[in-house]
């Protein structure tokens, strides 16, 4: 099938590349000329494991193409996905002006039937607005349908998630749209759930909000564990053995970040208020996540006392491992809070440093792990990259001014760390601390 993708970002590019990998002909459109120039040289503008290889292969097989003009996509592609960004406004509401702009651009060019699919995460009723917008420009209803097909990819494992989906949600309002989307997803061999548009839109917001709530919940449990000397990893394991709860997304941390959970929670909360069905629990989740970052910083202050002019080595800047994405990374708030207390930050991340430099000021960026640790008064581990899980701890102890580690990702065993002579502070496992 010929598929158009409007918006070649974290979601659009990986989705487009994976569709091409599954045998479709894909045209990715983006109005960022620099991005398109890079992609035309088969270079990925983002770090995403496995993506570069798929790009190389599908471009070589002439199944994946890039352009900055939407004309070709509307002319040649029967199914067009809207994957532009939906950034949050000041009040948390999703800014849908790019979605509207793209809908108008498509409408103006419609000459034969096209299925327009929203893939960007959008609040409920956006599909209805897309349809209204198109209708205002192109009244011929036989020329288009609007559908919703939310993505559930996690950055860092996006390629795997798209190629091995646990479900495909098709929000459609007629059999023609359903048939086309079913055909598109046939090679993926995954369970398909067909719903109306609004339910499909809600599945995405509700799923992300539920997952974020799960993380906030275990982080609150971690704080109670710290208070009584229990182990949150054990509590999570015990809870997760109940199939009604399940083991995933119960990893205590410095708080969730990224371009989805914080933004989607705020947008869902705002939408619920607008609809007169206020979802107060979501505001509590947002508050709890903010508090978790402060909780980590307070641990540092409680144990180092004055931070003024103390050097803190920070390992990890990206909002999670295996991505270079810094959007809403909890590390930004944490580093800024440490800096506000007078701490000097030296930091390293295997992939996110270039993006970090755009948002974090007055940080000394180091070339590698051990350079970051060297001479620091304490080490803070903020992202769970594999290489931070395998530190040469004897070397770390020698390089640090004093053997103090704040681990925001629970990468090590507190008892072992104590044996090795570290003061090791983590999240919800005070047993090994003194
Ligand atoms: C996506 C979604 O669309 C968002 O709703 C979801 O919650 C997270 O994933 P993402 O892919 O991460 O956003 O955004 P980004 O990497 O910024 O990509 C969006 C792309 O759309 C950019 O490359 C931008 O240049 C392009 N764009 C934006 C257009 O081509 N046209 C526009 O009018 C606006
Ligand atoms: C998320 C959803 O998982 C995905 O389905 C959706 O389509 C987009 O949003 P993503 O934001 O890429 O994906 O990453 P995810 O793995 O969900 O992690 C989000 C944040 O939660 C990260 O900051 C991560 O460190 C944190 N997290 C995750 C925890 O703190 N604990 C956990 O147990 C899981």
């Amino acid at each position: 099938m010929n598929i158009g993708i409007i918006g070649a970002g974290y979601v659009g590019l990986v989705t487009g590349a994976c569709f091409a990998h599954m045998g479709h002909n894909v045209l990715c459109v983006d109005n960022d000329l620099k991005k398109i120039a890079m992609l035309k040289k088969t270079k990925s503008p983002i770090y995403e494991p496995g993506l570069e290889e798929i790009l190389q292969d599908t471009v070589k097989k002439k199944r994946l193409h890039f352009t900055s003009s939407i004309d070709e996509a509307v002319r040649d592609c029967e199914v067009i996905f809207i994957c532009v960004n939906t950034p949050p406004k000041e009040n948390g509401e999703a800014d849908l002006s790019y979605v509207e702009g793209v809908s108008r651009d498509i409408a103006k060019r419609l000459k034969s039937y096209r299925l327009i699919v929203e893939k960007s995460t959008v609040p409920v009723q956006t599909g209805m607005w897309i349809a209204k917008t198109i209708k205002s420009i192109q009244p011929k209803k036989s020329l288009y349908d609007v559908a919703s097909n939310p993505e559930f990819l996690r950055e860092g494992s996006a390629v795997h998630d798209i190629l091995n989906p646990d479900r495909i949600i098709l929000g459609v309002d007629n059999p023609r749209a359903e048939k086309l989307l079913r055909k598109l997803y046939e090679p993926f061999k995954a369970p398909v759930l067909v719903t109306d548009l609004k339910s499909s839109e809600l599945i995405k917001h509700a799923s992300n909000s539920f997952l974020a709530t799960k993380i906030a919940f275990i982080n609150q449990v971690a704080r109670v564990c710290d208070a009584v000397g229990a182990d949150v990893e054990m509590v999570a394991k015990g809870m997760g053995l109940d199939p009604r709860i399940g083991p995933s997304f119960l990893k205590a941390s410095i708080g969730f970040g990224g371009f989805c959970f914080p933004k989607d929670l705020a947008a869902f909360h705002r939408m619920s208020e607008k609809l007169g069905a206020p979802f107060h629990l979501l505001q509590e989740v947002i508050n709890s996540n903010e508090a978790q970052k402060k909780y980590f910083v307070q641990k540092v202050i409680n144990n180092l006392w004055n931070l003024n002019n103390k050097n803190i080595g920070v390992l990890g800047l990206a909002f999670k491992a295996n991505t270079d994405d810094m959007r809403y990374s909890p590390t930004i708030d944490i580093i800024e809070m440490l800096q506000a207390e007078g701490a000097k930050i030296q930091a390293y991340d295997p992939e996110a440093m270039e993006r970090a430099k755009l948002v974090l000021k007055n940080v000394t960026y180091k070339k590698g792990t051990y350079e970051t640790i060297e001479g620091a008064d304490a080490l803070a581990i903020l992202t769970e990259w594999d290489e931070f899980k395998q530190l040469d701890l004897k070397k770390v102890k020698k390089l640090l001014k004093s053997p103090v580690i704040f681990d925001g990702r629970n990468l090590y065993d507190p008892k072992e760390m104590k044996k090795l002579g570290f003061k090791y502070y983590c999240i919800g496992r005070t047993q090994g601390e003194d």
Side-chain angles (χ1 to χ4, degrees):
M1 288 172 83
N2 288 342
I3 312 224
I5 303 273
I6 318 291
Y10 278 90
V11 168
L13 178 61
V14 191
T15 304
C18 289
F19 282 163
H21 180 70
M22 295 308 269
H24 297 300
N25 295 315
V26 179
L27 179 63
C28 288
V29 185
D30 203 290
N31 63 5
D32 180 339
L33 299 180
K34 261 205 213 143
K35 199 172 265 188
I36 290 297
M38 253 184 112
L39 286 167
K40 281 193 166 170
K41 288 184 201 150
T42 336
K43 281 209 158 17
S44 172
I46 55 166
Y47 173 76
E48 187 60 51
L51 177 62
E52 195 95 34
E53 292 84 337
I54 290 192
L55 284 182
Q56 304 276 353
D57 181 58
T58 50
V59 167
K60 204 164 126 199
K61 290 179 174 147
K62 299 200 180 338
R63 287 210 297 263
L64 182 60
H65 302 271
F66 304 100
T67 176
S68 56
S69 141
I70 204 164
D71 295 347
E72 273 174 76
V74 184
R75 193 190 62 209
D76 300 335
C77 303
E78 193 170 14
V79 184
I80 302 170
F81 283 87
I82 302 182
C83 301
V84 294
N85 39 339
T86 52
K89 294 185 194 169
E90 196 88 345
N91 64 1
E93 209 169 298
D95 180 349
L96 298 171
S97 48
Y98 297 138
V99 174
E100 182 184 343
V102 168
S103 310
R104 286 181 184 282
D105 287 343
I106 296 172
K108 281 182 218 153
R109 292 163 174 82
L110 277 177
K111 291 214 169 65
S112 46
Y113 178 84
R114 298 293 175 246
L115 175 61
I116 297 139
V117 190
E118 47 170 27
K119 203 166 217 8
S120 295
T121 305
V122 288
V124 63
Q125 293 177 331
T126 302
M128 176 190 84
W129 280 106
I130 295 177
K132 273 190 188 177
T133 305
I134 298 177
K135 194 176 171 196
S136 69
I137 297 169
Q138 177 48 268
K140 250 188 169 172
K141 180 67 185 94
S142 60
L143 282 185
Y144 65 93
D145 277 315
V146 176
S148 154
N149 170 226
E151 50 79 18
F152 298 101
L153 57 90
R154 289 162 301 171
E155 285 178 29
S157 55
V159 170
H160 173 270
D161 290 352
I162 295 181
L163 295 178
N164 306 280
D166 37 33
R167 83 284 211 196
I168 286 161
I169 307 292
L170 307 180
V172 289
D173 59 10
N174 71 61
R176 186 178 190 178
E178 179 182 338
K179 203 171 156 205
L180 271 173
L181 286 172
R182 277 190 183 275
K183 190 172 157 207
L184 192 159
Y185 278 108
E186 207 170 62
F188 289 79
K189 313 235 175 299
V192 173
L193 177 69
V194 180
T195 76
D196 59 284
L197 248 94
K198 287 178 197 158
S199 303
S200 170
E201 291 167 335
L202 277 172
I203 286 170
K204 177 61 202 259
H205 261 165
S207 298
N208 270 3
S209 300
F210 187 78
L211 291 171
T213 305
K214 227 177 155 186
I215 300 168
F217 189 94
I218 202 66
N219 281 339
Q220 293 277 169
V221 173
R223 287 185 235 163
V224 177
C225 286
D226 272 341
V228 295
D231 182 342
V232 72
E233 302 274 314
M234 285 299 132
V235 178
K237 197 168 180 185
M239 287 170 66
L241 286 170
D242 182 336
R244 292 170 303 175
I245 298 175
S248 56
F249 278 67
L250 285 179
K251 190 105 190 74
S253 68
I254 50 172
F256 55 78
F259 199 49
C260 288
F261 287 174
K263 171 173 88 55
D264 294 353
L265 272 171
F268 196 20
H269 180 245
R270 181 82 191 115
M271 193 57 176
S272 70
E273 278 182 330
K274 263 176 111 173
L275 293 168
F279 200 155
H280 300 303
L281 175 65
L282 300 184
Q283 187 56 50
E284 280 308 315
V285 172
I286 295 168
N287 296 345
S288 165
N289 197 51
E290 291 310 302
Q292 189 68 8
K293 297 178 236 179
K294 292 192 185 122
Y295 180 71
F296 182 79
V297 172
Q298 197 55 49
K299 253 182 201 273
V300 178
I301 295 170
N302 290 349
N303 294 293
L304 290 187
W305 194 20
N306 295 303
L307 297 192
N308 205 21
N309 285 324
K310 287 201 173 127
N311 274 316
I312 301 187
V314 170
L315 290 182
L317 296 164
F319 80 96
K320 59 185 263 191
N322 298 322
T323 179
D324 58 354
D325 200 345
M326 284 298 293
R327 293 177 297 178
Y328 295 92
S329 178
T331 64
I332 300 173
D333 289 336
I334 288 173
I335 288 174
E336 285 177 350
M337 282 188 259
L338 294 171
Q339 286 175 325
E341 292 292 322
K344 291 192 172 141
I345 305 293
Q346 49 196 55
Y348 168 72
D349 187 284
E351 295 293 339
M353 298 234 280
E354 287 316 308
R355 290 183 199 268
K357 284 175 192 166
L358 304 173
V359 279
L360 276 168
K361 300 297 164 206
N362 302 317
V363 168
T364 308
Y365 292 96
K366 297 285 185 178
K367 284 205 177 73
T369 305
Y370 295 103
E371 287 97 315
T372 309
I373 296 169
E374 191 169 11
D377 291 286
L379 170 65
I381 304 175
L382 301 188
T383 313
E384 73 285 20
W385 285 97
D386 277 347
E387 63 182 88
F388 304 153
K389 294 178 187 163
Q390 292 145 11
L391 296 175
D392 177 342
L393 293 167
K394 283 195 181 131
K395 191 168 168 185
V396 172
K397 205 168 161 211
K398 263 196 209 139
L399 290 173
L400 280 171
K401 250 195 230 161
S402 41
V404 184
I405 299 183
F406 299 94
D407 180 357
R409 299 289 182 168
N410 288 349
L411 301 187
Y412 291 95
D413 177 350
K415 290 192 180 119
E416 287 301 312
M417 295 302 273
K418 196 173 179 181
K419 264 195 220 151
L420 288 169
F422 283 100
K423 287 189 169 187
Y424 176 73
Y425 305 101
C426 46
I427 310 283
R429 296 184 304 165
T430 49
Q431 297 166 330
E433 295 179 12
D434 59 17

